[in-house]
Amino acid sequence: KAFETLEKISIIQPENGIIRLTLADYYRENGENQKSYNELKLAFKSKKLDLDTKIRILVSYFPLINVNQEMRIQANELIEILVEMYTDEYIVYMIRADILYSENKFSEAKEQYFLALELNKVNVEAWTQVLFIQAEEKDFLQMMKTSGEALKYFPLEPIFYFFQGFSNKNFKNYEEAIKSFTTGVDFVVDNNKLLVEFYSSLAEIYHAIQNHELSDSFFDKSLKIDPENSIILNNYAYYLSLRKKELKKAKAMSLKANNIEKNNGTYQDTYAWILYQNNEYKEAKEWI
């Protein structure tokens, strides 16, 4: 009787989005998935159903997009309906970008994040996602530009200082990179992973400009937070061995890196070099 009543209402009020959602639930509970989805599409096309409700439904698709082809197709169809209806709503472009990003369509996702930013500059998630994509693309010039723009709106956001420093580091603008990293690190709160990235980046820069005391200090800070970081262990050990300093410490760190990540040729090479520096030629030859 409830279903019959709902059908009558849907005929009288075809634009009633709530009724369409209720019918979609009814069909889904009865295993009639195609009918359920058809009603859901009608609900999304309804101007009387609020955007927040539609967004909540779309977000519920996210865990399924990469594991269910049908759900992925539906999510893409539904977001296209919203893009046509809500051209001035930044959140619609954000959702579209997130779907594309989850499908590893990074360049297309970046375009949508920029569209969202045109409508709402005070959007930390969009700026962050654009920067991660630019890092993936190794587009350091645009990364420098984007991070600088983002900092105009979020001067206390450490991730933007990190990307600014990272891009400058890649162009060997070491003074600017140090300035960005040392400023941004003070804004890091309850995020040890990001803190390690700041410290290790500073360590790499100070090594590059041969300020070995500060370089070692920041490597030590990094490993105090993340003692199992094989990249930092390897690099720190290698830099010490180049200077023939603290070879015992370098050897221990290099061996640890190899134990953490076995069959890594770079790490094996570092360990061989340290053994060579220690005059342990036989073992060095085996490792090389």
Side-chain angles (χ1 to χ4, degrees):
K1 285 183 179 180
F3 174 66
E4 289 173 3
T5 305
L6 287 169
E7 275 200 315
K8 288 177 182 177
I9 298 172
S10 69
I11 293 169
I12 297 168
Q13 297 181 353
E15 289 291 315
N16 190 321
I18 296 295
I19 295 300
R20 294 297 177 189
L21 282 184
T22 308
L23 283 168
D25 288 341
Y26 174 85
Y27 284 126
R28 186 174 62 254
E29 289 171 5
N30 281 279
E32 298 177 85
N33 292 332
Q34 188 56 51
K35 285 185 177 181
S36 173
Y37 178 57
N38 290 341
E39 292 295 336
L40 185 58
K41 281 199 292 186
L42 290 172
F44 266 61
K45 290 176 181 178
S46 170
K47 294 179 181 179
K48 295 181 179 179
L49 183 65
D50 64 282
L51 178 59
D52 287 345
T53 299
K54 296 172 184 178
I55 293 297
R56 282 198 298 272
I57 293 168
L58 253 180
V59 169
S60 71
Y61 273 80
F62 273 56
L64 305 171
I65 288 175
N66 289 324
V67 296
N68 188 307
Q69 173 78 355
E70 185 180 354
M71 294 295 103
R72 184 175 66 81
I73 293 170
Q74 287 185 12
N76 277 287
E77 288 179 349
L78 292 173
I79 191 58
E80 290 306 315
I81 291 172
L82 298 191
V83 169
E84 289 181 16
M85 291 180 66
Y86 303 96
T87 56
D88 295 328
E89 294 286 348
Y90 84 94
I91 190 65
V92 172
Y93 297 101
M94 285 292 294
I95 297 294
R96 190 191 220 178
D98 288 343
I99 291 172
L100 289 166
Y101 189 87
S102 72
E103 296 174 327
N104 296 324
K105 297 177 180 177
F106 299 132
S107 182
E108 295 174 52
K110 182 175 65 176
E111 291 177 10
Q112 297 302 310
Y113 286 126
F114 273 126
L115 287 174
L117 285 168
E118 285 180 14
L119 296 168
N120 180 12
K121 298 287 188 183
V122 189
N123 184 345
V124 67
E125 292 178 12
W127 288 115
T128 303
Q129 288 296 87
V130 167
L131 285 163
F132 273 114
I133 293 170
Q134 289 171 342
E136 187 75 26
E137 296 172 336
K138 294 182 169 58
D139 190 349
F140 302 117
L141 187 61
Q142 289 302 312
M143 185 192 297
M144 191 184 299
K145 180 181 177 182
T146 302
S147 58
E149 188 73 14
L151 282 167
K152 293 178 183 177
Y153 301 96
F154 298 96
L156 305 181
E157 186 58 49
I159 192 68
F160 300 146
Y161 286 101
F162 176 78
F163 279 115
Q164 188 180 63
F166 190 73
S167 54
N168 274 298
K169 175 175 171 283
N170 277 276
F171 287 115
K172 298 184 178 180
N173 301 330
Y174 293 134
E175 286 188 17
E176 288 299 316
I178 290 171
K179 182 180 177 182
S180 295
F181 286 135
T182 52
T183 302
V185 75
D186 289 335
F187 297 126
V188 179
V189 178
D190 297 329
N191 190 339
N192 281 343
K193 187 175 181 180
L194 182 57
L195 201 57
V196 167
E197 292 294 335
F198 271 105
Y199 286 156
S200 61
S201 296
L202 282 165
E204 293 285 353
I205 291 174
Y206 283 121
H207 168 75
I209 62 177
Q210 298 188 359
N211 188 331
H212 301 305
E213 184 178 350
L214 278 176
S215 177
D216 293 353
S217 171
F218 278 109
F219 273 129
D220 286 331
K221 285 183 177 182
S222 301
L223 289 174
K224 188 174 182 180
I225 299 170
D226 186 6
E228 304 298 311
N229 191 309
S230 60
I231 296 174
I232 295 174
L233 286 166
N234 175 77
N235 291 359
Y236 189 13
Y238 181 63
Y239 296 154
L240 287 174
S241 69
L242 287 177
R243 289 151 45 206
K244 296 185 179 181
K245 297 289 185 181
E246 297 189 69
L247 290 178
K248 184 177 180 181
K249 178 179 179 179
K251 182 180 177 181
M253 289 192 297
S254 181
L255 183 60
K256 186 175 182 179
N258 278 284
N259 288 332
I260 292 170
E261 190 173 332
K262 299 182 186 300
N263 301 318
N264 183 312
T266 300
Y267 297 172
Q268 292 168 345
D269 178 66
T270 297
Y271 192 58
W273 168 251
I274 294 169
L275 291 168
Y276 175 80
Q277 293 285 64
N278 275 319
N279 301 320
E280 299 175 53
Y281 299 127
K282 183 179 179 181
E283 196 175 353
K285 185 178 179 182
E286 291 172 3
W287 277 85
I288 199 66

